Amino acid sequence: MSDTEIKLARIALTMLAEPGTRAVYRLVARHGPVDALTMTLAGEIRDQPTREAVQARLGAGDPRPLAETALATGERLGARLVVPEDDDWPRQVSALEHIQLPGADRRVDRELAPPLCIWVRGEWPLAEAFDRSVAIVGSRASTQYGEHVATDLAYGLAEREWTIVSGGAFGIDAAAHRGALAAGGLTIAVLACGIERAYPVAHTALFDRVAETGLLITEWPPGADPLRPRFLIRNRVIAAATRGTLLVEAAARSGATQTMRRALALRRRALVVPGPVTSAMSVGCHEILRQHASARLVTNVSQVLEEVGRIGSDLAPVPQGPQRPRDQLDDQASFLLESMPRRGAISPDTVATRAGVDIRTALRKLTLLEALGFVIRRDGGYALVTTRRRAATEDDPP
Amino acid sequence: MSDTEIKLARIALTMLAEPGTRAVYRLVARHGPVDALTMTLAGEIRDQPTREAVQARLGAGDPRPLAETALATGERLGARLVVPEDDDWPRQVSALEHIQLPGADRRVDRELAPPLCIWVRGEWPLAEAFDRSVAIVGSRASTQYGEHVATDLAYGLAEREWTIVSGGAFGIDAAAHRGALAAGGLTIAVLACGIERAYPVAHTALFDRVAETGLLITEWPPGADPLRPRFLIRNRVIAAATRGTLLVEAAARSGATQTMRRALALRRRALVVPGPVTSAMSVGCHEILRQHASARLVTNVSQVLEEVGRIGSDLAPVPQGPQRPRDQLDDQASFLLESMPRRGAISPDTVATRAGVDIRTALRKLTLLEALGFVIRRDGGYALVTTRRRAATEDDPP
């Protein structure tokens, strides 16, 4: 069975049933994606609501050629597809296999299976990008206070080499992405539609910036619309892929509090920023703190680090040595890094020429190297980071 | 041994050692106040620092005539002295016998014995006034947000017949007292100096209003100065006499957080109002919530009631029927209540004449009856409360 067959089968399955559908996930887990697709097409799904939903979608045509088109479209858009068969798959999302939300009476609160595949725009290896990551979520109708706090925390965490994950929405999500970008850090926007859809449209430029230095990801194939329930379906991935979820501002029973409930059910760190009790935008935050003993009130970056810095019991142990060793860099980034002078700054042009990399790529890679803490901007150029900290955790180049 | 002898001995002891001194309290508990005073005067106190402090104060003269003067002065000022031998003593303060503060390295954090006596200005029976009480404490340098929330919560709790206890200071304390007064409720200011000292002076009028419908109380005899450590000594009484302590705004390690630590150590309800993480005045609140699992975040009156409404395991069970039965009212209030018409409102003048009470007293007692929920203001006068609630918990008058 070729990689492409596997990928096409997984894509087709996300076209036949919404991501998260347990019946489909179980079929894939038992029979592999290709046979699971054959069985699904043949109506061999036990769960009746799922079988009926699949049947209805089959009315739109055979999903197999559509999947081929989607894969080609994705490639054309500069998006790649990552599947669980890849080394680059973020394994921690498999915690979703066993998640159970208390009092789940809606379908979206029960169909919480792990993703079948993830579309990725941006150059970071997916698993590595999620390795030391924190979700920052909150209300779209945020206040100035909430946005200030979200930006500040995202900036501080990104500065300390934590990836900021959010949903790309207005308000707190956007503040979190922007804070991470301002720190030259890594941020991931998890979309609820096709990778090519800038939703909301006003965030087109923001998404381009995110993809430039971080990642845009989604479970849905190109062309998928940002339908309302998909935001809630998407939220389980934000909760599962990160070390912890930080709720900044949320109205009662908002989408962001739902992400938090998923994080709590997954035993990920559940961190909450309080706010004025007079603000409707903090009601959801205070409710989470009141209802869940394991939710933790946090007020600054070091308190967040104190929580997510611990290795969660249901997360694979994270190596405590070099977090992002050089040998995980791609060729161009490695060449650039090796072309840097041991002391002093160098202009991007000069290092690009030395490394044999075109200037546009060099600028992008240097931003990435900066976000990783290998280089810093200095004297109008870039310089190697040679702090005691970096030296202590990583061997010097030969 | 006469009541007066007992009172004079207790007053004299508070002159020889600061209230809360364990060595003195133990002597009183073992030998009674009169013998304890004799022993203290004879230097028969084991604890060396206490013995030396007593010796130093004895230099100011024999405390026994000073105690007599104090008692006479108190009477002249309209203040009475309540002692543990009285029925009217708030028994719950004896929880202080066993309190231990974690990491108590200062003397004020260790000398936390129950009060020896309490000076009272105002007409409410002391024990009854504290029966259903909540402390509201916080910073003197409060923000508008904190004052708004303190006023609001005090108003709502007072309206539901809870006594609001605070320290009479600027900021949150004053807001709490004012909120209770605005609701026509009962409020108690616990002072850290002589009952005649309006401290801060700017609160002279506030204290008069508090004494008019509620209580001013203190452990210190008339003439005692509001010395800095006394505020901290006083705080243990606020924590011990109430069902719970509600912290509204507090800087890190402020006096109000100290009251909270005492409430926590006493296993009283420890309730905390969060605020913006950007506000220095909420740092102490957030720290308490982060450090103490038993501290509870609250945002409104009903959440406070949910907590203090439960009967604490170390508080005497509170009768769930009539909270303040009529037979605990004084004669004038009883006569006024019995002179009220069964239906419709009556003017204060008319009911005063019917009851044979002078109009000024009648107005004061009607305010009190209103605070107790027996009467309400209506049509420019007062009417009996005959709601289902009151009817269900109390027998109708014959």
Side-chain angles (χ1 to χ4, degrees):
Chain A
M1 221 165 296
S2 77
D3 285 1
T4 308
E5 270 181 291
I6 288 172
K7 287 188 174 175
L8 289 173
R10 287 183 174 274
I11 298 170
L13 285 166
T14 63
M15 290 171 161
L16 291 174
E18 286 297 320
T21 305
R22 289 199 186 281
V24 172
Y25 182 84
R26 276 195 296 262
L27 223 52
V28 172
R30 203 163 300 160
H31 306 282
V34 176
D35 287 351
L37 176 61
T38 311
M39 293 167 79
T40 304
L41 290 170
E44 293 171 30
I45 284 188
R46 275 200 186 173
D47 182 60
Q48 196 194 332
T50 305
R51 196 170 59 240
E52 287 173 5
V54 165
Q55 214 53 39
R57 295 214 186 175
L58 271 173
D62 190 331
R64 285 167 294 193
L66 293 174
E68 282 184 42
T69 311
L71 198 59
T73 308
E75 264 171 41
R76 191 163 41 74
L77 294 165
R80 62 190 193 276
L81 187 78
V82 181
V83 292
E85 289 80 4
D86 294 329
D87 289 340
D88 197 20
W89 184 253
R91 312 251 153 250
Q92 64 271 30
V93 297
S94 63
L96 288 165
E97 283 173 7
H98 308 295
I99 186 178
Q100 280 206 318
L101 281 189
D105 40 11
R106 294 177 304 178
R107 211 172 147 70
V108 282
D109 290 332
R110 288 192 312 261
E111 302 293 346
L112 301 170
L116 293 179
C117 56
I118 298 177
W119 300 83
V120 182
R121 201 183 132 202
E123 295 181 28
W124 271 92
L126 184 63
E128 193 190 331
F130 271 118
D131 182 29
R132 273 160 58 94
S133 65
V134 181
I136 299 184
V137 299
S139 184
R140 276 169 309 188
S142 52
T143 71
Q144 232 182 350
Y145 163 70
E147 286 158 31
H148 168 78
V149 174
T151 307
D152 228 45
L153 292 174
Y155 186 98
L157 290 165
E159 213 178 24
R160 286 160 186 81
E161 302 189 14
W162 283 81
T163 302
I164 303 302
V165 179
S166 196
F170 286 125
I172 300 303
D173 285 14
H177 292 307
R178 290 200 175 103
L181 290 169
L186 177 51
T187 188
I188 302 177
V190 186
L191 307 180
C193 55
I195 198 89
E196 85 293 358
R197 291 285 297 265
Y199 181 87
V201 175
H203 282 175
T204 307
L206 174 64
F207 290 150
D208 285 343
R209 283 183 64 205
V210 168
E212 186 75 9
T213 54
L215 297 177
L216 281 184
I217 72 166
T218 182
E219 299 177 76
W220 285 269
D225 291 318
L227 305 176
R228 217 178 130 75
R230 287 185 172 156
F231 293 94
L232 213 43
I233 294 173
R234 176 268 321 259
N235 289 354
R236 78 196 198 293
V237 176
I238 294 179
T242 52
R243 202 78 74 83
T245 295
L246 176 58
L247 183 65
V248 176
E249 262 190 336
R253 283 177 299 281
S254 63
T257 63
Q258 297 302 324
T259 308
M260 208 59 180
R261 285 180 209 283
R262 283 152 177 73
L264 283 157
L266 289 163
R267 304 228 184 115
R268 296 288 190 265
R269 298 280 160 199
L271 311 175
V272 183
V273 175
V277 299
T278 46
S279 164
M281 278 305 123
S282 288
V283 170
C285 294
H286 297 149
E287 272 312 295
I288 293 279
L289 284 170
R290 284 176 50 77
Q291 289 167 7
H292 301 275
S294 56
R296 192 104 171 98
L297 184 153
V298 292
T299 69
N300 58 36
V301 170
S302 59
Q303 290 173 359
V304 175
L305 288 176
E306 202 184 300
E307 294 296 322
V308 294
R310 298 177 199 161
I311 296 162
S313 56
D314 34 19
L315 274 176
V318 174
Q320 286 305 292
Q323 296 290 349
R324 285 158 176 168
R326 293 176 180 222
D327 55 11
Q328 287 190 28
L329 295 174
D330 65 16
D331 282 355
Q332 290 165 320
S334 294
F335 282 157
L336 283 163
L337 192 58
E338 282 166 28
S339 307
M340 297 286 297
R342 293 294 292 271
R343 285 169 200 278
I346 188 169
S347 77
D349 290 282
T350 313
V351 73
T353 311
R354 278 197 198 176
V357 174
D358 72 271
I359 180 65
R360 208 177 151 270
T361 306
L363 284 169
R364 215 165 59 222
K365 298 297 175 186
L366 284 167
T367 308
L368 191 141
L369 289 169
E370 192 194 4
L372 285 169
F374 286 111
V375 302
I376 52 161
R377 269 177 230 244
R378 206 163 70 200
D379 310 329
Y382 287 87
L384 269 184
V385 171
T386 51
T387 60
R388 187 186 303 264
R389 187 189 148 286
R390 171 67 62 192
T393 55
E394 185 147 3
D395 293 328
D396 275 330
Chain B
M1 221 166 295
S2 77
D3 284 1
T4 308
E5 270 180 291
I6 288 173
K7 286 188 176 176
L8 289 173
R10 288 183 173 275
I11 297 169
L13 285 167
T14 63
M15 291 171 161
L16 290 175
E18 285 297 320
T21 304
R22 289 201 185 280
V24 171
Y25 182 84
R26 275 196 297 262
L27 223 52
V28 172
R30 203 164 299 159
H31 306 283
V34 176
D35 288 351
L37 177 61
T38 311
M39 294 167 80
T40 304
L41 290 169
E44 292 171 30
I45 284 187
R46 276 199 186 173
D47 182 59
Q48 195 195 330
T50 304
R51 197 169 60 240
E52 287 174 4
V54 166
Q55 212 53 40
R57 296 213 186 179
L58 271 173
D62 189 332
R64 283 167 293 194
L66 294 174
E68 283 184 40
T69 312
L71 197 58
T73 308
E75 265 172 39
R76 192 164 40 77
L77 294 165
R80 64 191 192 275
L81 187 78
V82 181
V83 291
E85 289 79 5
D86 293 330
D87 288 342
D88 198 18
W89 184 256
R91 312 251 153 249
Q92 64 271 30
V93 296
S94 63
L96 288 165
E97 283 173 7
H98 308 295
I99 186 179
Q100 280 206 317
L101 281 190
D105 41 10
R106 293 177 305 179
R107 213 173 146 70
V108 282
D109 289 332
R110 287 192 311 262
E111 302 293 344
L112 301 170
L116 294 178
C117 56
I118 298 177
W119 300 83
V120 181
R121 202 183 132 202
E123 295 181 27
W124 271 92
L126 184 63
E128 193 189 333
F130 271 118
D131 181 29
R132 274 159 58 94
S133 65
V134 181
I136 299 183
V137 299
S139 185
R140 278 169 307 187
S142 52
T143 70
Q144 231 181 352
Y145 163 70
E147 288 159 30
H148 168 79
V149 174
T151 307
D152 227 46
L153 292 174
Y155 185 98
L157 290 164
E159 214 179 23
R160 286 159 186 82
E161 300 188 17
W162 282 81
T163 302
I164 303 303
V165 178
S166 196
F170 286 126
I172 300 304
D173 286 14
H177 292 305
R178 291 202 173 102
L181 290 169
L186 176 51
T187 188
I188 302 177
V190 186
L191 307 180
C193 55
I195 197 92
E196 86 293 356
R197 291 285 297 264
Y199 181 87
V201 175
H203 281 175
T204 307
L206 175 64
F207 289 150
D208 285 343
R209 283 182 65 205
V210 168
E212 186 76 9
T213 53
L215 298 176
L216 280 185
I217 73 166
T218 182
E219 299 176 76
W220 285 271
D225 291 319
L227 305 176
R228 216 178 132 75
R230 288 185 171 155
F231 293 94
L232 212 43
I233 294 172
R234 178 267 322 258
N235 289 354
R236 78 196 197 293
V237 176
I238 294 179
T242 52
R243 203 77 74 84
T245 296
L246 176 57
L247 183 65
V248 176
E249 262 190 336
R253 284 176 299 282
S254 63
T257 63
Q258 298 302 324
T259 308
M260 208 59 180
R261 285 181 209 284
R262 284 152 177 71
L264 283 157
L266 290 162
R267 303 229 184 111
R268 298 286 189 267
R269 299 280 162 200
L271 312 174
V272 183
V273 175
V277 299
T278 46
S279 165
M281 279 303 123
S282 288
V283 170
C285 294
H286 297 149
E287 272 312 296
I288 293 278
L289 283 170
R290 283 175 50 77
Q291 289 167 7
H292 301 274
S294 56
R296 193 106 168 94
L297 184 153
V298 292
T299 69
N300 58 37
V301 170
S302 59
Q303 289 173 359
V304 175
L305 289 175
E306 202 184 298
E307 294 296 322
V308 294
R310 297 179 199 159
I311 297 163
S313 56
D314 34 20
L315 276 175
V318 174
Q320 286 305 290
Q323 296 290 348
R324 285 158 177 170
R326 291 177 181 224
D327 54 11
Q328 288 190 29
L329 294 174
D330 66 14
D331 282 353
Q332 292 165 320
S334 294
F335 283 156
L336 283 163
L337 191 58
E338 281 166 29
S339 307
M340 296 287 296
R342 293 293 295 270
R343 286 168 198 280
I346 187 169
S347 79
D349 289 281
T350 315
V351 73
T353 311
R354 277 198 198 175
V357 174
D358 72 272
I359 179 65
R360 207 176 153 270
T361 306
L363 283 170
R364 216 166 58 222
K365 297 296 176 188
L366 284 167
T367 306
L368 192 142
L369 289 169
E370 192 194 4
L372 286 169
F374 287 111
V375 303
I376 53 163
R377 270 176 230 243
R378 205 163 70 199
D379 310 330
Y382 287 86
L384 270 183
V385 171
T386 51
T387 60
R388 189 186 301 264
R389 186 189 149 285
R390 171 67 61 193
T393 55
E394 184 147 4
D395 293 333
D396 275 332

